[in-house]
Amino acid sequence: MKKFSILAAVVVAAIMGSCTNGTPKANLKDDVDTLTYAVGVAQTQGLKEYLTQRMGVDTTYMDEFFKGLTEGANAGDSKKKAAYYAGIQMGQQIAQQWIPGLSYEIFGEDSTRQVSLQNLLAGFISGASGKNCLMTADEAAQTMQTMMQTVKARVMAEKFGDWKKECEDYMAKIAKKEGIKELGDGVYYEVITEGTGAVPADTNKVSVNYEGKLLNDTIFDSSYQRGEPAKFRCDQVIPGWTKALTNMPVGSTWMVYIPQEQAYGEREAGKISPFSCLIFKIELLGIEK
């Protein structure tokens, strides 16, 4: 498909002819007119794909598109009309991209919940106009940064509250299990095989075999299934892993129990639901040179 450029859009807006009622009709008096008309037709190649994929236009409503196109082209260099059309374009971007994007960021796959279009517009207009604004731009940026994780965590807690409690109860039982040792920050381990090799530093790259399970016995990751060890730096994994690796002698095999705070917290990661405690069999094969 030919790429539809901004220049093409400008050309189309200025000269495009159409059989739709109310739009300009061709009047080819000379070769310049014919050339101009040909440019207009040629530049529509890929137009519908561009409108659909880049601008979110439903091509069922092409007559409305042609109407707006003609009005925009006939507006000439009117700064007032240019501002109005720019507002319409940004308003559609807010409705079609900002609101769905922010709603997904906060509520995830729950399509029944959506952030307030009214409040977003109120903030945008008051911030842009400088009138009746409830916070400065710096304050708004700080509020976004501090509140996003708080709001997301609360929403996830509402959705996954029962699972969170189940995992917390499980970790409390693990803490009392015979033979269990604590690494700190709620991370526990059980020795299957005690190695006698060196203990990695957090900046060391290690070679490990492992299998990760959820509380319901779902295996979400396994180097055994892939058929080869994994290699990575000890500080490039979740905190619970780093804590385990930097206490394990090479040659050890441990069962490691990691609370959600030392794993992915309120985040979702593939098969791992928010607030999941994780259970790993970790076999430390060696420290890479």
Side-chain angles (χ1 to χ4, degrees), residues 238-258:
I238 58 174
W241 258 80
T242 301
K243 193 172 291 293
L245 291 172
T246 54
N247 284 276
M248 288 182 75
V250 171
S252 296
T253 302
W254 289 0
M255 291 298 298
V256 181
Y257 304 88
I258 303 176

Side-chain angles (χ1 to χ4, degrees), residues 79-266:
K79 292 181 173 58
K80 182 177 180 179
K81 289 184 177 179
Y84 177 74
Y85 295 138
I88 289 178
Q89 186 175 25
M90 182 161 284
Q92 290 179 327
Q93 186 178 26
I94 288 172
Q96 296 171 10
Q97 298 177 27
W98 294 17
I99 292 294
L102 184 56
S103 297
Y104 183 83
E105 178 73 13
I106 295 173
F107 302 118
E109 300 289 347
D110 187 354
S111 59
T112 65
R113 305 184 72 177
Q114 182 171 287
V115 298
S116 167
L117 173 62
Q118 177 181 338
N119 285 329
L120 195 150
L121 286 175
F124 187 92
I125 293 171
S126 62
S129 66
K131 298 177 181 177
N132 303 316
C133 200
L134 303 180
M135 59 185 74
T136 66
D138 288 342
E139 289 170 343
Q142 183 63 36
T143 299
M144 284 175 55
Q145 184 176 354
T146 56
M147 290 191 68
M148 179 61 78
Q149 288 305 316
T150 301
V151 172
K152 286 174 64 176
R154 186 177 69 246
V155 170
M156 290 297 102
E158 293 171 3
K159 184 176 181 180
F160 295 97
D162 291 342
W163 176 249
K164 180 173 182 285
K165 186 177 187 308
E166 191 175 345
C167 286
E168 289 172 347
D169 290 345
Y170 175 80
M171 291 301 298
K173 290 179 181 178
I174 286 295
K176 299 175 182 178
K177 183 180 175 182
E178 187 177 350
I180 291 291
K181 301 178 181 180
E182 185 175 6
L183 290 167
D185 295 321
V187 180
Y188 296 92
Y189 74 102
E190 185 176 9
V191 175
I192 299 174
T193 303
E194 188 64 71
T196 58
V199 176
D202 59 357
T203 55
N204 285 145
K205 185 176 182 180
V206 295
S207 175
V208 298
N209 268 324
Y210 67 92
E211 179 180 81
K213 286 185 177 183
L214 300 176
L215 189 57
N216 57 14
D217 284 333
T218 297
I219 297 175
F220 59 84
D221 195 9
S222 173
S223 67
Y224 297 106
Q225 291 180 355
R226 290 193 295 272
E228 61 179 1
K231 298 179 181 181
F232 41 72
R233 270 180 37 161
C234 294
D235 59 358
Q236 293 178 328
V237 286
I238 58 174
W241 258 80
T242 301
K243 193 172 291 293
L245 291 172
T246 54
N247 284 276
M248 288 182 75
V250 171
S252 296
T253 302
W254 289 0
M255 291 298 298
V256 181
Y257 304 88
I258 303 176
Q260 55 96 1
E261 296 88 350
Q262 295 296 308
Y264 294 96
E266 75 277 3

